[in-house]
Amino acid sequence: MAHKVIVFGEMLWDCLPSGAKPGGAPMNVALNLHQLGIDTRLISAIGNDEDGEKLLSYYKSFGISEDLIQITPDHATSQVLVDSSDPENIKYTILPEVAWDYITIKEEAKTAAKSSDAFVFGTLGVRNKTSLQTLLELLHHANLKVFDANLRPPFYDFEIIETLLGFTDILKINEDELEIFADYFNTDPEPKSLCQFLDKNFPIDIICITLGSKGALIYQNGSIFHHKGYKIQVKDTIGAGDAFLSGFIWSLLEKKSPEQILDFACKIGAYMATQEGGAPKYKRSDIEKIT
């Protein structure tokens, strides 16, 4: 039987100079996991509008279940204005008061969380207290809880982050977030120091830090495993971290070694950086072309 994963958070339109592309880290993760053969469901919300209809149609075109996506009549489908003038340093303007700010608790979502092999969440999707309360209730029902920090200033609060870390089994941050976390927790801004602090103070089993073009590392049981990454021609980095996380989760559920987990996660992340937008369709053979 396929592994089951639940992803919680935003789905939206990335408004690029070349046109609008479907995106949002949780939706990207869900679509990648689905394409890797995992039974994946997304808990999110769209507006009762044309943007929502088109976004849901795109999502469903992958053949993935949409039964946990809510439609909110009072709030619009999310849009994000993307500045991709520097392809390796994408900047986002995230519009406020959108549908995924108002995800409400549903019994079917609780049931899905209880039966899942992993439950993935981040910070942006809980910038509003409605969605935050929904997530906190769901986390009490989830099994393996994967926290993708995905900090988007000014939409995060470290009091909330500390609460979420108290539920976290696996934490994924990037090199910029490493510095932000280290500054807040008053540790040295290098991986081992921060990882040791988090390991001591929170119930985290694995910490993964992505390092951009320098690859990624895993901290587990006091040991650090590093992968140097793959050298590719970058088209844009939108969704590369989401693809990496999807490859990480797939490999972890398949009980791969830390070295194997990092290799596949880096490979799919590199592949995504050769594509435009955060949620393209692809085949497993496309990923294997990255060497």
Side-chain angles (χ1 to χ4, degrees):
M1 294 179 63
H3 298 295
K4 295 181 179 180
V5 174
I6 301 298
V7 187
F8 180 97
E10 65 272 15
M11 61 189 304
L12 49 85
W13 288 102
D14 280 323
C15 298
L16 297 147
S18 58
K21 300 284 186 181
M27 189 181 84
N28 294 342
V29 170
L31 292 177
N32 279 299
L33 288 170
H34 173 75
Q35 292 187 92
L36 291 174
I38 289 179
D39 180 359
T40 311
R41 298 160 79 188
L42 174 65
I43 300 173
S44 188
I46 55 174
N48 186 20
D49 50 31
E50 186 177 357
D51 278 347
E53 185 179 334
K54 289 180 178 178
L55 188 57
L56 190 62
S57 177
Y58 178 82
Y59 185 81
K60 290 166 62 177
S61 73
F62 284 75
I64 185 173
S65 171
E66 84 288 0
D67 63 326
L68 299 181
I69 296 173
Q70 302 171 19
I71 299 176
T72 61
D74 299 326
H75 298 92
T77 299
S78 179
Q79 292 186 351
V80 173
L81 309 181
V82 181
D83 178 359
S84 57
S85 54
D86 178 358
E88 296 195 28
N89 185 27
I90 304 292
K91 296 179 180 178
Y92 305 89
T93 302
I94 305 165
L95 301 183
E97 292 292 309
V98 294
W100 50 258
D101 285 315
Y102 295 90
I103 303 170
T104 56
I105 193 69
K106 304 285 187 183
E107 285 301 320
E108 53 267 35
K110 292 182 189 179
T111 301
K114 289 176 184 176
S115 64
S116 66
D117 296 304
F119 185 98
V120 187
F121 60 98
T123 57
L124 179 57
V126 295
R127 65 180 181 177
N128 180 283
K129 64 181 180 181
T130 300
S131 292
L132 174 59
Q133 290 305 314
T134 297
L135 174 62
L136 292 176
E137 183 163 349
L138 290 171
L139 287 173
H140 283 98
H141 299 284
N143 297 307
L144 182 69
K145 294 171 279 290
V146 182
F147 183 13
D148 176 17
N150 199 30
L151 303 183
R152 293 284 182 258
F155 302 115
Y156 64 85
D157 179 329
F158 262 94
E159 287 189 17
I160 293 172
I161 288 173
E162 286 197 67
T163 298
L164 296 176
L165 288 172
F167 288 96
T168 299
D169 298 304
I170 298 170
L171 172 66
K172 180 225 167 219
I173 59 175
N174 62 33
E175 56 186 340
D176 293 329
E177 292 160 351
L178 166 66
E179 294 188 12
I180 295 169
F181 270 64
D183 181 64
Y184 177 79
F185 289 115
N186 196 29
T187 73
D188 290 332
E190 52 89 21
K192 190 169 186 178
S193 178
L194 177 65
C195 289
Q196 288 176 334
F197 173 87
L198 294 172
D199 188 26
K200 180 180 178 180
N201 290 278
F202 298 98
I204 303 172
D205 295 323
I206 300 174
I207 300 169
C208 179
I209 303 176
T210 58
L211 304 170
S213 61
K214 301 183 292 294
L217 63 84
I218 286 173
Y219 177 92
Q220 185 177 23
N221 297 327
S223 298
I224 290 181
F225 305 87
H226 179 256
H227 191 288
K228 65 181 181 180
Y230 288 91
K231 303 301 179 185
I232 45 93
Q233 186 68 41
V234 174
K235 178 165 283 188
D236 71 49
T237 56
I238 298 172
D242 307 328
F244 175 97
L245 179 59
S246 304
F248 183 100
I249 293 169
W250 178 86
S251 301
L252 184 73
L253 294 178
E254 289 291 315
K255 302 189 183 305
K256 304 292 186 181
S257 68
E259 294 89 350
Q260 291 172 317
I261 291 171
L262 281 172
D263 183 66
F264 184 68
C266 285
K267 183 173 287 189
I268 190 172
Y271 170 77
M272 195 59 60
T274 68
Q275 307 298 302
E276 185 178 35
K281 294 179 180 177
Y282 57 85
K283 298 177 181 177
R284 184 67 176 268
S285 57
D286 296 326
I287 301 168
E288 296 303 330
K289 293 176 183 176
I290 300 294
T291 58

